[in-house]
Amino acid sequence: MKKNNSSTDNQSYRLGITITEHLLLCEDECPAATGQFTRLLSELIISAKLISREVNKAGLADLLGATGDINVQGEKVLKLDEFANQALIWRMQRSGLLCAMASEENADVIEIPDNMPKGNYVLAFDPLDGSANVDANASIGTIFSIHRRVERTGCGSLDNFLRYGYEQVAAGYFLYGSSTMLVYTAGNGVHGFTLDPSVGEFLLSHRNITMPDRGKIYSVNEAYTEYWDNRTKTVVDYFKSSKNDRGKPYTARYIGALVADFHRNLLFGGIYMYPADRQDPHKPHGKLRLLCEAAPLAFLVEQAGGAATDGRQRILDIKASELHERVPLFIGCKADVEKATEILQDKQ
Ligand code: AHM
Ligand code: MG
């Protein structure tokens, strides 16, 4: 497997190529760029720094546990979920760069108030993915997806969000782990930046991340085995009984935070699966949300040389039909995802 963290990257980390410098360099390479996208990412970064700050002190500042509310997904809202959601909405609404937003925590499109300037982009986000891990001090993250607004429609219109994944202009995540990281793509490869707390800046640490064709990890919640159909069971059995390219068995890893499981597999090579759950009336299409989880990670994984499907078709080719649409997800190294999809289609 190609190493992502080369000595050159270590040097750029030490010498400090900041995310802003990186974005400005990318802007220079694109004559049509107006600077709006750079400003949009910069605003997201400030929101993420605020969230990272709260996550880091959560155990000390009465930020663990639930608020007592239930969100649109029928899940308990945690105090940090609420903080992350409010931080993003508050900052991004004022940026002047967005036309509308959609959050995993909000039932409807979040409009930009009348007294605030509007922009050309729309943003969908999962403010705190994997938040069930918060109280255990495990990794969590913020996932985001950016589209250009649909010109012929009003800002608050749902049409701005009911789009194909391949129309995204950028996507990424902030991971609040042993370090805070930003990993993003704007269609020119996948780049990772690590927050240096001593200077308060995201510095380039993982340039042009690429995935091997096959991985060595499979990630799935096997406690649900009895609810899967036979083809899904065959897929998981395949990874349990096959050897990877080094002739060794695949290893199982499952944190239970998509963003953290995805990040590990992106760096080390592997496949993450959240299949449909035919017997659970709440999860006939799996658990993960198309717009704020599956599509942005699918954009990233394809840019890194991997693949993502719902077991039948490419995630980026799915047009959302509702804001909180859920999809089964098979995402990771290309050959692994193709194998899983082939088994699910029974085309062996
Ligand atoms: P969340 O966005 O509300 O945190 O829910 C999604 C999370 C994913 O991060 C994670 O992969 C999955 O739910 C875990 O679900 P399960 O506990 O069913 O394995
Ligand atoms: Mg999530």
Side-chain angles (χ1 to χ4, degrees):
M1 176 188 164
K2 198 172 157 188
K3 276 199 163 184
N4 294 315
N5 205 352
S6 67
S7 57
T8 319
D9 285 345
N10 283 335
Q11 193 181 20
S12 46
Y13 175 74
R14 277 199 303 276
L15 297 179
I17 295 179
T18 67
I19 176 71
T20 311
E21 287 169 321
H22 168 89
L23 290 169
L24 290 174
L25 278 173
C26 295
E27 212 179 286
D28 284 348
E29 285 165 16
C30 174
T34 61
Q36 281 208 23
F37 175 72
T38 301
R39 284 173 50 214
L40 176 53
L41 256 245
S42 304
E43 282 295 335
L44 272 174
I45 286 167
I46 295 172
S47 310
K49 284 181 183 172
L50 293 170
I51 298 168
S52 178
R53 183 191 69 192
E54 297 302 296
V55 167
N56 286 339
K57 65 179 189 193
L60 298 170
D62 192 27
L63 283 167
L64 300 180
T67 60
D69 294 332
I70 300 291
N71 72 8
V72 58
Q73 319 282 346
E75 298 158 347
K76 277 188 204 163
V77 178
L78 303 181
K79 290 179 193 168
L80 273 178
D81 275 329
E82 190 172 73
F83 177 85
N85 199 36
Q86 283 175 358
L88 280 158
I89 294 173
W90 197 88
R91 283 211 70 85
M92 300 313 295
Q93 265 182 341
R94 281 160 181 74
S95 68
L97 301 162
L98 293 177
C99 175
M101 287 181 275
S103 164
E104 184 189 296
E105 297 292 328
N106 293 58
D108 302 313
V109 170
I110 304 163
E111 297 188 21
I112 309 299
D114 287 343
N115 59 346
M116 288 178 192
K118 318 277 184 298
N120 292 327
Y121 294 98
V122 293
L123 171 72
F125 57 87
D126 178 352
L128 211 56
D129 177 65
S131 56
N133 286 294
V134 161
D135 291 5
N137 198 13
S139 298
I140 48 181
T142 299
I143 307 175
F144 61 89
S145 160
I146 300 169
H147 279 83
R148 230 167 239 113
R149 66 169 290 193
V150 177
E151 291 295 346
R152 61 182 183 281
T153 193
C155 266
S157 155
L158 198 54
D159 289 348
N160 278 308
F161 295 93
L162 304 186
R163 317 269 288 275
Y164 291 101
Y166 64 70
E167 293 180 82
Q168 289 172 100
V169 292
Y173 55 84
F174 295 91
L175 180 65
Y176 314 112
S178 48
S179 305
T180 294
M181 279 195 74
L182 161 64
V183 176
Y184 94 102
T185 185
N188 58 350
V190 178
H191 308 290
F193 299 80
T194 302
L195 181 63
D196 183 334
S198 64
V199 290
E201 287 279 5
F202 281 95
L203 303 180
L204 182 61
S205 53
H206 298 66
R207 190 197 306 267
N208 212 10
I209 299 170
T210 54
M211 298 187 84
D213 195 42
R214 286 184 76 205
K216 52 187 181 183
I217 297 167
Y218 76 94
S219 310
V220 66
N221 190 340
E222 286 193 69
Y224 302 137
T225 303
E226 66 176 293
Y227 303 129
W228 296 336
D229 62 22
N230 286 336
R231 289 181 190 181
T232 305
K233 288 179 190 166
T234 308
V235 169
V236 177
D237 284 345
Y238 167 81
F239 290 108
K240 287 166 81 166
S241 58
S242 297
K243 299 276 191 287
N244 64 31
D245 280 347
R246 291 180 175 179
K248 296 196 172 147
Y250 281 70
T251 191
R253 293 283 183 272
Y254 191 74
I255 295 169
L258 170 66
V259 65
D261 280 308
F262 176 85
H263 182 71
R264 181 203 51 243
N265 292 358
L266 178 72
L267 295 187
F268 300 162
I271 180 168
Y272 173 96
M273 300 172 271
Y274 206 111
D277 192 337
R278 307 272 174 227
Q279 294 183 39
D280 181 340
H282 301 296
K283 291 196 270 181
H285 306 293
K287 178 180 183 186
L288 301 174
R289 273 69 33 153
L290 175 60
L291 290 179
C292 60
E293 293 175 320
L297 298 187
F299 190 13
L300 284 164
V301 87
E302 287 200 4
Q303 284 288 315
T309 75
D310 66 351
R312 285 177 310 177
Q313 59 174 331
R314 182 179 172 234
I315 292 288
L316 295 183
D317 284 341
I318 301 174
K319 186 177 183 197
S321 54
E322 52 179 298
L323 204 55
H324 295 286
E325 181 168 343
R326 295 177 194 249
V327 281
L329 182 61
F330 299 83
I331 188 166
C333 291
K334 197 166 186 202
D336 293 332
V337 172
E338 280 173 0
K339 185 70 193 175
T341 309
E342 187 184 300
I343 296 170
L344 288 162
Q345 295 300 297
D346 210 12
K347 285 185 197 155
Q348 307 173 70

